[in-house]
Amino acid sequence: MSSRGKVIYRVSALLLFILGAIHGALGGYLAALGGSLFYVLNGVALVIAGILCWQRRSLAGHVVAAILVWTIAWAVLENGFAFWPLLPRIVVISLIALLVLVAVARANTTRTLLYQPLLWCCFLVISITGYSFKLLHDVEVHQTIQPVVDNVSSHLPSDGEWLSYGNTRSGSRYSPLDQINRDNVDHLELLWSVRTGLGGVSKGTPLQVGGHLYTCGAGNVVVALDAEDGREIWRFDPKVPESYTSFARYFTTTCRGVTYYQAPETYDGECAERITGGTVDARLFAVDAKTGQLCTSFGDQGFVDLTRKMGEVKPNFYMVTSPVAIVRDNIVVGGWVMDNYEVHEPSGVVRAFDAVTGQFSWAWDMGRPGSNQEPAEGEIYTRGTPNVWSMFSVDEERGIVFAPTGNETPDYFGAGRHTASEQYASSVVALDGSNGKLLWSFQTVHHDIWDYDAPSQPVLIDLPGEDGESIPALIQATKRGEIFLLNRVTGEPIAAVEERPVPQGGMPEDWTAPTQPFSAMPNLHLGPLEEKDMWGISPIDHLICRIRFNQLRYEGHFTPPTTGGIIQYPGNVGGHNWGSVSIDPDNHLLVVNPMNLASELRLVPREEMEQGVRASPQYGTPYGASTQIFVSPLGVPCTAPPYGLMAAIDLKTQQLLWKRPVGTANDLGPAGIKVHLPVLVGTPQSAGTVTTKGGLIFQSGTMDRRARAYDAFTGEQLWSYTLPQSSQATPMSYLTSGGKQVLIVTMPAEGISFGGDRNAAAAKVDPLGGYIFAFALPDDRSAK
């Protein structure tokens, strides 16, 4: 044998020894925890193979071949032929086997080598890997429907404008334009781009009204652009103090959008058309849509103080980060409160103000049932009640505003909460837009101690009924991945809802609801989790994740938080989040794009907090709270991909049509190192989707810096474009005065990932600010 062959044998032996020792030691610990015996047995076999390799015995090849076959069989039995779960189980041992094969080849003639089982095992690995890689890119199709293409949806802008955050006040995120369609979207190209000069997270989805685009950014600065070419027309700065936007920047630089309002025809004062919104220092403003000048007759010189009657409001403890709603000529506003800091934070009251004058109209303060007025002199709104930080939706015909509620703070300990909070937290609530009267409420989580607030804008759609009459429906997506389909007039479920028993036995000072509501609508999450569902990019961190799974408490959905730590799945980022869902009202199609991540959650005793353990303080309770995405030592999720999904659901049958992963591993990798592999992994995603009459779904919120278009009826990807950063905003589409359909995508100046410090990323300052990209078809493709 040549000296090089001896070296290869020795290197192979060392690798087998090391892997075998780690598998044996950690696998023994895993087995002691009640986990799989595979690793400890595999560790023994690997050590034996290492000894044989060190001795340069030909039997080494046979033993390694047996280990490889055994490993492949175990991997396929645990997870089938799914590509990503196979990867950490077989790749490293396959590479070592290949090295051993090279050593064997140097010691044998080619004719003898052909009879080596190790060679055929390597061919087996290549075949299985290739087959699983092919499956990775297949769309999982469950049903097909025949699309309707000639209807014109009612209650949608007829001139191609985008008048509200979700295009309609009902939150449809649907464009009735079809100039860009399934046949020509692959020709979509960049029309123009601008830099906003605004930093922060840039979550804003623009409006398009009367030839202007309206968007906002950090500091709640509003910018109006020419919808034809992106030229800036005006800019309004509400002068939010730096002390507000420098704290918890991922939240305090958030402005998801602004709201357009047109006064009644009888109005003859200033600002007949106006842009209104809230700020992170708790003010409501109104500016002229044409000039950007403050409407001085609105409130106090253009502003309304939202801290009025709120009692003590510490800086950054109450702010507006989402667009306000318009209903019955009232501006309806909620607010974000500081998460998990202390009990009795500012009220979650929902208030309405006259859209012309800014005068108080009504309030829904759940702690004062039966009263829709401001508190009496010397009194304040009920502190600590659940807030509405996300987007409202509005049934304009009936004058109803729908509010998705959060929790009474803090999120992870619920003893002593207000009675009204127990009734209305984590709910969708219907209010009369004229007077704030409570019409109905539906709770998606009882006694929520998991931060499972209702984060998504309710989406309204009319569905066909059995008697030919339409059913007024509401879709409420949740962090749990559940989708509740309700009658928006009565609040009664359209899709069945079942109360199921859930795990008990949380902290002795708190309590756990005995049952929780589960919807009959499809839920894309793959739980309940099992040890075999754990993942890592190597067999070592994969094994450590399996150990961690057995160390933490996990009894399925709604495992109660404890001081020992639990796995929460889905985690507190979702499931669905503020990006909500989109619909195709003509085809009664629902498009969803939830995340698929688990969290590790632990309650931290107060004495540990006092000793310096870092966690959210939850002052006023016995425990702080530590929560993070459930990751391996290399910083990759302990659950297997995909982490981002997209699917279409037929609302008539309430059945899944298709689902697929979205996003590649291009900008992901261990320890924050980007691997630059354009392989479909399904990345975490923020914001939502836009569905169009052209049979398309547009999305730009995956963590791999891509804008994409998908076929709404098959899930096939039809177009993609590389962006300078990953978008944090839902796209939108409109028709220019010249008759060109445009797709708008906005991005922050700096990328923000779920695996890194989002506040640190948001704090980075690029003086040119975020991006707005406009896409359109070339003239020869867009002409009718």
Side-chain angles (χ1 to χ4, degrees), residues 648-662:
I649 297 169
D650 186 340
L651 287 169
K652 297 190 299 294
T653 64
Q654 301 166 20
Q655 298 297 310
L656 186 66
L657 296 180
W658 56 261
K659 71 174 181 178
R660 58 163 300 142
V662 288

Side-chain angles (χ1 to χ4, degrees), residues 618-740:
Q618 299 197 142
Y619 291 127
T621 77
Y623 307 100
S626 172
T627 182
Q628 60 183 2
I629 294 173
F630 185 32
V631 296
S632 78
L634 293 178
V636 299
C638 274
T639 50
Y643 307 119
L645 296 163
M646 182 181 290
I649 297 169
D650 186 340
L651 287 169
K652 297 190 299 294
T653 64
Q654 301 166 20
Q655 298 297 310
L656 186 66
L657 296 180
W658 56 261
K659 71 174 181 178
R660 58 163 300 142
V662 288
T664 68
N666 188 70
D667 281 12
L668 302 177
I673 301 171
K674 297 179 181 180
V675 297
H676 299 295
L677 289 177
V679 180
L680 190 62
V681 65
T683 74
Q685 52 192 325
S686 60
T689 60
V690 168
T691 310
T692 78
K693 188 179 179 182
L696 297 171
I697 302 166
F698 288 107
Q699 182 198 37
S700 58
T702 53
M703 295 292 102
D704 62 347
R705 299 183 296 113
R706 299 291 191 279
R708 293 183 172 89
Y710 298 91
D711 188 313
F713 303 102
T714 68
E716 179 188 359
Q717 180 177 311
L718 303 176
W719 170 81
S720 71
Y721 187 94
T722 302
L723 304 170
Q725 298 293 351
S726 291
S727 176
Q728 301 285 306
T730 301
M732 54 84 74
S733 185
Y734 63 91
L735 197 68
T736 69
S737 60
K740 185 181 287 289

Side-chain angles (χ1 to χ4, degrees), residues 562-591:
T562 67
T563 54
I566 68 162
I567 295 172
Q568 180 187 359
Y569 179 75
N572 68 327
V573 297
H576 304 281
N577 210 297
W578 59 268
S580 194
V581 299
S582 63
I583 59 172
D584 177 341
D586 291 332
N587 292 284
H588 304 106
L589 199 66
L590 172 65
V591 177

Side-chain angles (χ1 to χ4, degrees), residues 132 142 148 167 214 221 231 377 381 432 579 609 618 626 725:
S132 65
H142 293 253
V148 175
N167 192 15
Y214 301 100
V221 175
R231 174 178 50 87
E377 189 65 32
Y381 292 111
D432 187 312
M609 297 284 293
Q618 299 197 142
S626 172
Q725 298 293 351

Side-chain angles (χ1 to χ4, degrees), residues 451-520:
D451 191 19
Y452 275 154
D453 49 3
S456 304
Q457 180 182 23
V459 176
L460 314 183
I461 185 173
D462 291 336
L463 298 178
E466 293 181 0
D467 56 0
E469 300 239 347
S470 64
I471 301 172
L474 176 147
I475 302 158
Q476 182 63 59
T478 72
K479 289 183 181 180
R480 298 170 48 203
E482 294 290 322
I483 301 167
F484 293 97
L485 183 63
L486 311 173
N487 184 306
R488 67 175 179 268
V489 176
T490 67
E492 294 297 317
I494 296 172
V497 175
E498 178 186 5
E499 289 283 341
R500 299 178 191 169
V502 292
Q504 300 294 296
M507 301 309 297
E509 303 92 339
D510 204 350
W511 59 278
T512 307
T515 65
Q516 295 287 357
F518 289 81
S519 172

Side-chain angles (χ1 to χ4, degrees), residues 58-96:
S58 60
L59 183 59
H62 295 276
V63 173
V64 172
I67 293 172
L68 192 54
V69 170
W70 180 25
T71 302
I72 292 170
W74 164 74
V76 171
L77 283 172
E78 276 208 327
N79 285 91
F81 292 97
F83 177 78
W84 290 109
L86 279 175
L87 202 65
R89 290 167 165 85
I90 68 173
V91 165
V92 170
I93 185 61
S94 298
L95 293 175
I96 296 175

Side-chain angles (χ1 to χ4, degrees), residues 165 198-205 215-222 238 240 244-258 277-282 285 316 318-323 335-336 389-391 577-578 686 728-729 748 752 758-759 762-763:
Y165 175 81
L198 303 175
V201 296
S202 190
K203 294 181 181 178
T205 295
T215 190
C216 61
N220 301 106
V221 175
V222 183
V240 174
Y244 284 85
T245 57
S246 62
F247 180 80
R249 295 183 67 99
Y250 185 73
F251 297 103
T252 61
T253 62
T254 291
C255 183
R256 294 186 181 89
V258 291
T279 67
V280 294
D281 63 343
F285 65 83
N316 301 113
Y318 180 83
M319 63 188 71
V320 181
T321 57
S322 294
W336 183 88
W389 60 266
S390 188
M391 278 70 67
N577 210 297
W578 59 268
S686 60
Q728 301 285 306
I752 300 171
R758 293 188 287 172
N759 283 329

